Amino acid sequence: MDKKSLARLELNKVLAACAEYASLGGAKRLIESLEPAVDPSEALSSLRRTGECIKLLFEHGVSAVEYFDDVGELLVRARKQSTLSCAELRGVNCLLRSARIAYTSVNGINDEWIQLIKGDCARIYFDKNLEDDISEKIISDDAVSDHASGALYSIRARIKSLNERIRSKLSEYITGETSKYLQDGIVTMRGDRYVIPVKAEHRSRVKGLVHDRSQSGATFFIEPEYVLELNNELVALQIDEKEEVERILKELSRRVGDMAERLAADMDALAELESFYARAQYCYAYKCTLPQVNKRGYINIIRGRHPLIDRTKVVPVSLELGGKYNFLLISGANTGGKTVTLKMCGLFCLMAACGLYIPASEGSSVCVFDDIFCDVGDSQSIEESLSTFSSHITTVIDMCKRANAGSLVLIDELGGGTNPDEGQALAKAVVEHLLNVGCRGIVTTHFTPLKEFAHTTEGIENASMEFDSSTLKPLYSIKIGLPGASNAFAICRRLGMDDGILNRAVSYLSEGGRAFENIVRRAEESRVEAQKKAEEAARLSMEWQGKLAEVNERIDALNKQRERLTANARAESRRIINERTAEAEELLDEIEGIFKKEELTQSDLIKARTLKNKLKDASFREEDEEKRVTNYVAATAENLSAGDNVFVLRLQSAGQVLSVNKAKGEVEVLCGSIKTRLKFSELQKINTPAPKKSEVRIKKSLPAAPSQPLLEINLLGLTVPEAIEEVDNFIDRAVMDNLEEIKVIHGVGTGKLREAIARHLRGHKNVESFRLGKYGEGETGVTIITLK
């Protein structure tokens, strides 16, 4: 592709920002040197790898490639059988570790969508044995472990023992009679040999080998003769140690050299893998999305954001190109975003071709072009003595020669920098040529004739950068289908230019140009105003939809509350009836017990009469009166009259009829303090019969026993109130059948039904005890009840 155009579109800055997410130097260089693909399959492959890395990093928690230094030169030396140092072997070990972690972390993910990256990792080679050997034997950049070999361990143990012996011998000099000949009571070393500091005047009294003398000459460093052999032995052991360390390093270096080619390939493979991890992190950080890629020249950017503009300030822009039209002619006020939009379009195509997602909304599309040409800004050359127009037109000439159906052409201010009449004529000719070639492109302009040309020519469409005429500020958004006014005079007025100068400038405009600009400006103002009203209407619609949803939620809540209250009332009624029935049965039992006696006394008769009176009084208690039953019937003209109680369906509230208009089919209803007119179909009449006072007659009789008593009951699928009622009926039948133990099947589920039954059984008068089922009985899914 055209290198100058890539630089004008600032692809290098995007790649540099992406490279910051890479840790390996090789990956950074690989990203910064990326060339946009011209084959859609190649671009799709790169985008797929980036997508797989996004999933690996941010869904599966896989870490990026672990850092290691560039060890290419070390591998070359190892291959030539050179011995590597401890630090160099540790550097190679970092590569081995990084390769192993990269391979195992990716292949350890069980995700069928991760395919290409797994294929790339299959090329990675690692040797766990060599990695472990280097880790265990090399403990720092300049030290080999004592346990690197058995021989080294033995040598170092002997060196340690010998050092202790020598120090022990020399300590006798320091603490014995010869201590008076010493300058200091310390043992030091000269040339890897132990010596003691002797005063110069007493050097003849200490037999041994002189190794050094202080700068003042007052101290001689003498190796006593009786440690001479021990020092010689120590030196010999140190030579053995050095040779053994060299042997260990040489052996490890040889093993590295044997696999040097595969490790060098690992460096390239890991750098490539890290480059895709970096692309994934860049895309995630900039909230980029995967674009659809094509080769037919179609571009559809939905709410695109230029990646080099501050993300807190950038205004999203949407545009389409290559569908109904191949060229866009963007016009509008200066600083309105024309150039940014033009560059963003080309940059997004380049990013996708480099395997980068684009900062736009889902559903955006870009094309992989054979070449992208861009002419933006002032690129005059002092060295070549080219003016702004000359440099600009030189680039345009090159575009016209090289552009074809597979090219994207981006030109900012085509025909600018020269006589306006000649410039607009030249611009129309260039655009017409590019349209005939069949390429796609975006051109920005202020030329009115060029806007007219775009309006009347097939294949090119006008577009404008929106401008707020009330504040005289650009809105940084694009509108397809309408040209934009330059608003140069309005901007000059806002910036403080004298009105006299501006009025004179307006008078110099041609009548046609002035009329066209006025029409464009009024059309733009009308469109902006219409858009504001449409947005306000949409906002109000959303607001009312929210309020309607809130009302519906409140109605649902009221319905649920009514159902809950109804259920509670039923349960309370059943409880009262059960209590009264039990009380009456107890009174009857006592009366029957009295009359079962063979002889009745006067006191027995009085007691029986008293019990009878209690039973009679209980039947007329106010709390045992029949509940008023409310019936709802359809409201009609025949059954409604003033004063009737009705239920308003729409309001879910009761009200009272004030008047009935049978002719119109309407009813005036008072709901609380609100009067409203409603249709008959919106009402239901409430019939509340008067309460009947009747004596509750309780007759104790035992129903005929069934042929075979029921030993268990299944409550699965019932609600808690329904289940409690069934349990009570079941216990009553079991008591009448003289059963001692029964089973209630309620299932495991959430445990809510089991807990409700247990609470109910704790206060039941006929229940002796209860427990959960044992193994073989249904365990926690059943409750076993022992009756009194």
Side-chain angles (χ1 to χ4, degrees):
M1 286 193 177
D2 184 66
K3 301 297 183 183
K4 292 182 179 180
S5 295
L6 298 185
R8 293 186 185 111
L9 292 173
E10 300 178 296
L11 176 64
N12 58 326
K13 294 183 180 179
V14 172
L15 295 179
C18 178
E20 291 299 317
Y21 291 92
S23 59
L24 302 180
K28 289 179 181 290
R29 292 189 294 271
L30 189 62
I31 294 172
E32 291 172 347
S33 62
L34 277 175
E35 291 285 344
V38 296
D39 184 356
S41 61
E42 184 180 345
L44 286 171
S45 177
S46 296
L47 288 170
R48 175 60 185 264
R49 284 179 166 84
T50 301
E52 290 183 10
C53 286
I54 291 176
K55 199 168 187 181
L56 286 169
L57 289 172
F58 303 107
E59 288 188 23
H60 297 294
V62 173
S63 59
V65 176
E66 190 168 306
Y67 177 79
F68 60 87
D69 289 322
D70 188 340
V71 294
E73 183 182 347
L74 303 182
L75 295 176
V76 173
R77 287 173 47 207
R79 190 179 176 188
K80 294 179 180 179
Q81 299 182 352
S82 295
T83 300
L84 303 181
S85 66
C86 292
E88 291 170 340
L89 285 170
R90 282 165 62 86
V92 174
N93 203 44
C94 288
L95 170 59
L96 286 167
R97 172 182 168 81
S98 181
R100 175 179 56 82
I101 292 176
Y103 178 90
T104 55
S105 61
V106 172
N107 285 279
I109 299 299
N110 185 17
D111 189 335
E112 295 181 356
W113 198 79
I114 310 295
Q115 295 180 355
L116 297 182
I117 295 298
K118 282 188 177 181
D120 294 341
C121 288
R123 299 185 287 111
I124 296 177
Y125 171 82
F126 63 93
D127 188 329
K128 186 67 165 60
N129 292 329
L130 178 57
E131 179 190 343
D132 290 343
D133 284 346
I134 295 177
S135 298
E136 293 171 0
K137 295 179 179 181
I138 312 297
I139 59 176
S140 69
D141 286 349
D142 54 5
V144 175
S145 170
D146 294 347
H147 302 280
S149 70
L152 184 60
Y153 181 81
S154 176
I155 292 171
R156 287 183 173 174
R158 290 164 60 193
I159 290 174
K160 182 179 179 181
S161 175
L162 193 57
N163 278 323
E164 292 176 353
R165 288 173 56 194
I166 294 174
R167 285 183 174 276
S168 176
K169 285 286 187 182
L170 292 177
S171 65
E172 296 177 3
Y173 263 95
I174 297 173
T175 59
E177 293 183 359
T178 55
S179 61
K180 59 185 177 182
Y181 305 137
L182 303 182
Q183 192 72 259
D184 297 301
I186 59 172
V187 176
T188 185
M189 297 192 74
R190 287 295 186 272
D192 296 331
R193 300 179 76 89
Y194 286 99
V195 296
I196 54 176
V198 179
K199 296 177 181 178
E201 60 270 21
H202 300 301
R203 68 178 185 274
S204 59
R205 295 183 177 274
V206 179
K207 295 182 179 180
L209 183 63
V210 176
H211 282 275
D212 197 4
R213 185 178 65 181
S214 64
Q215 292 183 352
S216 63
T219 304
F220 281 79
F221 296 94
I222 300 175
E223 178 183 5
E225 60 180 9
Y226 63 81
V227 297
L228 185 61
E229 289 301 323
L230 293 177
N231 272 333
N232 289 338
E233 185 179 352
L234 178 62
V235 171
L237 286 174
Q238 289 171 344
I239 293 173
D240 292 342
E241 178 193 20
K242 183 177 180 181
E243 290 177 350
E244 180 61 17
V245 168
E246 286 290 332
R247 186 194 67 78
I248 293 170
L249 296 179
K250 186 173 183 179
E251 174 60 21
L252 293 175
S253 300
R254 180 193 64 78
R255 293 170 64 184
V256 171
D258 291 342
M259 61 182 70
E261 289 186 7
R262 286 176 288 186
L263 293 179
D266 273 358
M267 290 180 60
D268 296 335
L270 292 173
E272 184 178 1
L273 177 61
E274 175 71 353
S275 74
F276 283 107
Y277 278 136
R279 278 176 259 197
Q281 293 180 74
Y282 174 87
C283 295
Y284 185 84
Y286 281 78
K287 298 181 180 179
C288 300
T289 61
L290 174 65
Q292 300 174 16
V293 176
N294 65 84
K295 189 65 175 176
R296 65 180 189 276
Y298 178 68
I299 299 173
N300 182 24
I301 297 174
I302 305 172
R303 294 184 60 80
R305 310 176 305 278
H306 198 292
L308 298 179
I309 299 178
D310 188 344
R311 280 174 281 179
T312 61
K313 299 179 181 179
V314 65
V315 178
V317 175
S318 300
L319 65 85
E320 187 176 5
L321 180 68
K324 297 180 181 179
Y325 45 87
N326 291 340
F327 260 79
L328 266 182
L329 183 71
I330 304 179
S331 53
N334 288 319
T335 71
K338 299 190 299 296
T339 304
V340 170
T341 301
L342 175 144
K343 294 173 69 175
M344 180 191 72
C345 182
L347 183 59
F348 279 9
C349 294
L350 294 174
M351 289 175 66
C354 291
L356 285 167
Y357 286 14
I358 62 174
S361 296
E362 294 283 351
S364 298
S365 298
V366 294
C367 174
V368 175
F369 290 99
D370 296 335
D371 215 335
I372 295 179
F373 301 100
C374 179
D375 178 40
V376 178
D378 184 3
S379 56
Q380 62 179 320
S381 172
I382 297 176
E383 292 83 358
E384 299 179 11
S385 300
L386 293 177
S387 66
T388 300
F389 176 75
S390 298
S391 62
H392 165 70
I393 208 63
T394 300
T395 304
V396 172
I397 292 171
D398 184 61
M399 291 180 182
C400 292
K401 289 180 180 179
R402 297 169 58 188
N404 54 41
S407 302
L408 175 65
V409 176
L410 307 168
I411 307 177
D412 189 30
E413 300 295 347
L414 177 59
T418 188
N419 179 277
D421 290 336
E422 294 179 349
Q424 59 88 13
L426 182 62
K428 283 197 290 186
V430 170
V431 171
E432 189 173 18
H433 169 76
L434 295 174
L435 282 171
N436 293 333
V437 168
C439 62
R440 274 57 171 176
I442 299 177
V443 174
T444 67
T445 189
H446 288 288
F447 290 143
T448 297
L450 199 54
K451 301 174 190 177
E452 297 172 348
F453 172 78
H455 184 69
T456 58
T457 305
E458 186 177 354
I460 184 171
E461 183 65 73
N462 270 304
S464 60
M465 302 306 298
E466 294 187 280
F467 186 83
D468 190 339
S469 58
S470 60
T471 61
L472 302 179
K473 291 182 179 180
L475 300 177
Y476 303 106
S477 58
I478 191 170
K479 191 67 178 178
I480 307 296
L482 288 176
S486 297
N487 291 290
F489 294 159
I491 293 174
C492 290
R493 182 173 286 106
R494 179 169 65 88
L495 295 176
M497 182 172 283
D498 184 80
D499 288 342
I501 298 175
L502 289 174
N503 294 333
R504 186 180 296 274
V506 171
S507 68
Y508 288 149
L509 284 175
S510 66
E511 184 176 348
R514 188 163 54 245
F516 182 82
E517 286 294 321
N518 289 335
I519 291 171
V520 169
R521 183 167 54 255
R522 286 196 294 271
E524 187 171 355
E525 291 173 357
S526 299
R527 183 189 57 75
V528 171
E529 183 65 24
Q531 184 174 352
K532 288 181 178 179
K533 290 182 178 179
E535 291 174 353
E536 179 65 16
R539 185 189 64 79
L540 291 175
S541 176
M542 290 289 293
E543 183 178 338
W544 280 108
Q545 287 178 5
K547 290 182 178 180
L548 181 60
E550 183 179 352
V551 170
N552 290 333
E553 287 179 3
R554 296 175 74 175
I555 291 174
D556 291 340
L558 290 173
N559 288 335
K560 291 178 180 178
Q561 185 177 7
R562 184 177 62 184
E563 293 174 1
R564 185 169 59 253
L565 291 174
T566 302
N568 292 339
R570 288 175 181 170
E572 182 64 16
S573 299
R574 186 166 53 250
R575 185 189 65 79
I576 293 172
I577 291 171
N578 290 338
E579 288 181 357
R580 298 296 175 261
T581 302
E583 186 179 349
E585 288 178 350
E586 290 177 1
L587 294 173
L588 288 172
D589 287 340
E590 289 187 41
I591 294 172
E592 288 180 1
I594 293 173
F595 284 101
K596 284 181 181 180
K597 294 181 180 180
E598 294 181 357
E599 294 183 5
L600 295 175
T601 64
Q602 186 67 25
S603 63
D604 290 334
L605 293 174
I606 294 173
K607 184 177 181 181
R609 190 178 296 111
T610 303
L611 292 174
K612 180 183 177 183
N613 291 335
K614 283 185 178 180
L615 182 61
K616 185 177 180 180
D617 292 340
S619 65
F620 287 101
R621 290 183 185 174
E622 183 179 354
E623 62 185 12
D624 290 334
E625 290 184 357
E626 292 182 352
K627 303 292 182 180
R628 289 176 178 262
V629 180
T630 302
N631 296 321
Y632 294 88
V633 296
T636 63
E638 290 73 22
N639 65 3
L640 275 187
S641 60
D644 287 345
N645 293 323
V646 293
F647 185 75
V648 183
L649 298 176
R650 186 172 62 187
L651 301 178
Q652 291 291 300
S653 177
Q656 187 177 28
V657 176
L658 299 178
S659 63
V660 179
N661 189 335
K662 297 183 179 180
K664 292 185 178 181
E666 293 180 347
V667 182
E668 186 177 14
V669 179
L670 177 65
C671 291
S673 60
I674 300 175
K675 291 182 181 180
T676 181
R677 290 189 176 276
L678 301 166
K679 299 292 184 183
F680 287 115
S681 59
E682 298 179 285
L683 301 173
Q684 285 187 338
K685 184 180 179 182
I686 301 176
N687 288 332
T688 307
K692 295 180 181 180
K693 291 188 178 181
S694 60
E695 182 178 350
V696 178
R697 298 184 181 272
I698 302 175
K699 182 178 180 181
K700 183 174 181 182
S701 60
L702 297 177
S707 58
Q708 184 176 357
L710 295 176
L711 299 178
E712 64 180 37
I713 184 172
N714 191 335
L715 305 179
L716 297 178
L718 299 183
T719 63
V720 170
E722 293 171 346
I724 296 298
E725 183 177 357
E726 291 295 327
V727 168
D728 285 339
N729 294 334
F730 180 47
I731 292 175
D732 291 342
R733 289 196 299 271
V735 170
M736 291 190 299
D737 291 336
N738 294 320
L739 299 178
E740 294 183 358
E741 188 174 83
I742 56 176
K743 179 191 293 186
V744 175
I745 303 173
H746 45 66
V748 179
T750 61
K752 181 179 179 182
L753 183 57
R754 180 182 70 243
E755 293 172 359
I757 292 173
R759 286 195 301 270
H760 182 69
L761 292 178
R762 289 189 186 98
H764 202 287
K765 63 186 181 66
N766 291 326
V767 175
E768 178 73 26
S769 63
F770 63 92
R771 61 177 174 82
L772 294 176
K774 299 178 181 178
Y775 180 76
E777 293 179 331
E779 302 182 31
T780 59
V782 303
T783 295
I784 307 299
I785 303 174
T786 302
L787 300 174
K788 291 182 179 178

